[in-house]
């Protein structure tokens, strides 16, 4: 691509198993983004993400599954108000759906952490209800939801060696 796609467009591409590589050709284009390097470094950044996205098949399947769930959540309206009212959360959310390249468990943990912080920033009640609603949208069974929520708790390290965590790869 020769222009930067919107985070939602990147999400759509990743849901199809594709990872965008953007070639910005002018300093004006580069100055329109928050990236400290030159055009070649930006292309290499995208190529690095693409390689990581495609080389670990288990991680790839988990990322694509997670991102498909995020696509569903995005268009359900569940997070719309928070995305509209909180520019910090919007930036963190866009990073999660469009630029973050990691294991699906980490993507989920990052999203939940940012939701908790956004709720605290706005003095809202516990975000567990919105997280549970999101997992329900994803058709995640209740027993697996408990594992997912535990992955975001202080006790997560105790369960890291458990095979239960592998279920989160099946988003």
């Amino acid at each position: 691509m020769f222009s930067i796609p919107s985070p939602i467009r990147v999400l759509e591409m990743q849901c199809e198993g594709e990872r965008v590589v953007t070639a910005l050709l002018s300093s004006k284009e580069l100055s329109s983004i928050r990236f400290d390097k030159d055009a070649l470094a930006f292309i290499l950044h995208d190529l690095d993400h693409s390689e990581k996205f495609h080389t670990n098949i288990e991680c790839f399947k988990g990322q694509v599954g997670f991102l498909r769930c995020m696509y569903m959540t995005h268009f359900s309206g569940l997070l719309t108000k928070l995305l509209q009212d909180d520019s910090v959360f919007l930036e963190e959310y866009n990073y999660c759906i469009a630029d973050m390249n990691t294991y699906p468990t980490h993507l989920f943990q990052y999203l939940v952490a940012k939701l908790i912080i956004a709720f605290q920033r706005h003095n809202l009640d516990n975000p567990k209800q919105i997280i549970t609603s999101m997992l329900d949208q994803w058709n995640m069974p209740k027993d697996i939801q408990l594992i997912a929520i535990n992955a975001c708790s202080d006790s997560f390290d105790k369960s890291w060696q458990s095979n239960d965590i592998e279920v989160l790869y099946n988003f």
Side-chain angles (χ1 to χ4, degrees):
M1 292 192 133
F2 294 100
S3 63
I4 299 173
S6 71
I8 297 304
R9 179 65 187 119
V10 174
L11 176 63
E12 290 170 344
M13 293 172 72
Q14 292 179 130
C15 286
E16 297 300 319
E18 301 171 0
R19 184 74 194 200
V20 66
V21 175
T22 305
L24 300 177
L25 302 177
S26 73
S27 57
K28 181 181 178 186
E29 290 170 327
L30 273 172
S31 67
S32 71
I33 60 166
R34 293 188 340 195
F35 195 77
D36 298 347
K37 313 266 189 239
D38 60 18
L40 179 59
F42 191 78
I43 292 170
L44 291 174
H45 168 85
D46 274 359
L47 285 170
D48 183 50
H49 275 291
S50 183
E51 178 196 20
K52 289 176 182 170
F53 186 70
H54 292 288
T55 54
N56 180 332
I57 192 66
E58 289 303 311
C59 188
F60 170 81
K61 287 191 264 185
Q63 282 187 67
V64 170
F66 174 82
L67 293 166
R68 286 178 178 165
C69 290
M70 288 304 301
Y71 183 87
M72 182 183 353
T73 296
H74 183 82
F75 288 102
S76 75
L78 185 64
L79 301 175
T80 300
K81 181 156 177 41
L82 192 57
L83 291 168
Q84 290 172 343
D85 293 348
D86 189 331
S87 61
V88 173
F89 179 70
L90 175 63
E91 186 174 326
E92 294 165 340
Y93 174 84
N94 285 340
Y95 174 69
C96 183
I97 65 169
D99 195 39
M100 199 169 177
N101 194 199
T102 188
Y103 295 95
T105 306
H106 186 229
L107 287 165
F108 180 71
Q109 290 170 318
Y110 175 87
L111 175 67
V112 169
K114 297 309 177 181
L115 276 167
I116 291 169
I117 292 167
F119 269 62
Q120 291 171 345
R121 203 170 25 249
H122 294 280
N123 296 316
L124 299 171
D125 288 335
N126 187 330
K128 188 172 181 179
Q129 183 179 356
I130 200 166
I131 295 165
T132 302
S133 295
M134 190 170 57
L135 297 176
D136 285 340
Q137 279 182 348
W138 300 355
N139 296 316
M140 187 178 283
K142 294 294 182 191
D143 58 326
I144 305 303
Q145 286 187 25
L146 292 174
I147 295 168
I149 290 169
N150 183 53
C152 301
S153 72
D154 292 338
S155 64
F156 179 64
D157 287 340
K158 296 174 191 165
S159 66
W160 181 252
Q161 300 301 320
S162 169
N163 290 335
D164 291 342
I165 201 62
E166 292 179 18
V167 301
L168 298 181
Y169 276 65
N170 297 319
F171 277 106

